[in-house]
Amino acid sequence: TSGSLLHGHPAPQPQTITVVDPQLKQRNEELAKRVAELESVVDSLEKERDWYFAKLRDVEVICQKHQGEPALSEIEKVLYATEEDAAGAGGEEAAAGTAIETAPADSGAPVNADPVSGGAPAALQ
């Protein structure tokens, strides 16, 4: 059989739609705008995640250089805690509380600093 025939009938030709429902067009434009906004949010969150990861990595390197010191051992416990550890200690709130309790009171460096401006990340302002 020929490629243009389907069970002895000619293949259907694509049709061009010339009438557009104004409500559908408006809804499509709204959704396209929302997608663009969400893509921007995702990009911002990915940058923030990467920035915090780099900070945690810096802390990890410092802890490895000074292994055995009591305060740094506590910080290492927080750094290497898993979700299961947090669940055993009372959930995410307990893990966050541990991180807050073991953090230095004032290191002189801004906590949650934005990598560009030195201020708080946009998501935290």
Side-chain angles (χ1 to χ4, degrees), residues 27-41:
R27 181 70 176 144
N28 187 43
E29 290 170 358
E30 291 169 0
L31 291 173
K33 182 179 177 182
R34 182 70 177 142
V35 166
E37 290 171 359
L38 291 173
E39 287 173 344
S40 175
V41 168

Side-chain angles (χ1 to χ4, degrees), residues 45-91:
L45 290 172
E46 286 174 344
K47 287 178 184 176
E48 185 175 344
R49 175 206 58 203
D50 293 344
W51 185 82
Y52 279 111
F53 180 81
K55 290 296 174 186
L56 284 172
R57 179 67 183 126
D58 292 344
V59 170
E60 180 182 39
V61 169
I62 292 169
C63 288
Q64 289 172 348
K65 287 181 184 177
H66 301 279
Q67 272 185 326
E69 295 181 26
L72 292 179
S73 295
E74 291 297 314
I75 292 170
E76 285 178 323
K77 286 180 188 176
V78 173
L79 283 174
Y80 298 122
T82 63
E83 288 183 29
E84 291 81 23
D85 296 337

